[in-house]
Amino acid sequence: NAGVTQTPKFRILKIGQSMTLQCTQDMNHNYMYWYRQDPGMGLKLIYYSVGAGITDKGEVPNGYNVSRSTTEDFPLRLELAAPSQTSVYFCASSSSGTTNEQFFGPGTRLTVL
Amino acid sequence: KQEVTQIPAALSVPEGENLVLNCSFTDSAIYNLQWFRQDPGKGLTSLLLIQSSQREQTSGRLNASLDKSSGRSTLYIAASQPGDSATYLCAVGVGGNTPLVFGKGTRLSVIA
């Protein structure tokens, strides 16, 4: 199992550009999450999904969109990049069992200039 | 709203020392608590998961305890090694398969 994979690893965007951060998991997990981590801070939830076709906002959703068309994939879309979106983005997943243990991808480091 | 605090923010210890990292949370109605390790520029590695009905979990030199009533968890690292140097994050799950609420982490340096 590859676990949770994210692409790209690094990206530099100009203000106003758009991009999609990819996240794929091969553990057949129903639940998937997007967090962002700013320097010296903990992770904050952007969006999450409880299954294909179902998504919900987290603490900091503004400027982002998500979709969940398959169990495996949960892409995060930035439409109009702003410097405030410079951060490290982590995708995670968990199964529908009882433990709620979350497994994280390696992250995407995004800089908006 | 659940809030998670980790103290200290940074800690430096000599190799071989036993140490304790602290995590506190404001709402005791949690589902579970997870400790992660994060190396610089890397992702999060899950170390220990404690369910709300458990008091502690152990893995090798690591022991995590949970006291729900006081809103606290500790991560005990025995016989620390330079390879333990990393940031340790505490995160609380407020329900089954709900997003985690994270603390800001403790940055640990173990000096050889």
Side-chain angles (χ1 to χ4, degrees), chain A residues 30-60:
Chain A
N30 286 334
Y31 299 84
M32 296 187 74
Y33 315 85
W34 274 107
Y35 297 90
R36 61 176 284 175
Q37 184 180 36
D38 298 323
M41 305 293 287
L43 281 70
K44 293 186 178 179
L45 181 71
I46 306 172
Y47 271 96
Y48 67 104
S49 170
V50 301
I54 306 171
T55 63
D56 207 349
K57 295 179 180 179
E59 184 181 1
V60 289

Side-chain angles (χ1 to χ4, degrees), chain A residues 31 33 35 37 40-43 45 48 59 90 94-102 104 106 109, chain B residues 1 31-32 34 36 38 41-44 46 49 51 89 93 95-100 102-104:
Chain A
Y31 299 84
Y33 315 85
Y35 297 90
Q37 184 180 36
M41 305 293 287
L43 281 70
L45 181 71
Y48 67 104
E59 184 181 1
F90 290 102
S94 62
S95 73
S96 54
T98 57
T99 67
N100 191 32
E101 183 174 11
Q102 293 192 14
F104 281 74
R109 189 174 298 272
Chain B
K1 176 186 172 187
Y31 186 81
N32 60 16
Q34 203 166 346
F36 294 90
Q38 185 177 29
K42 304 292 186 183
L44 278 68
S46 179
L49 172 73
Q51 300 293 354
L89 294 164
N97 296 111
T98 57
L100 295 172
F102 281 83
K104 295 181 180 180

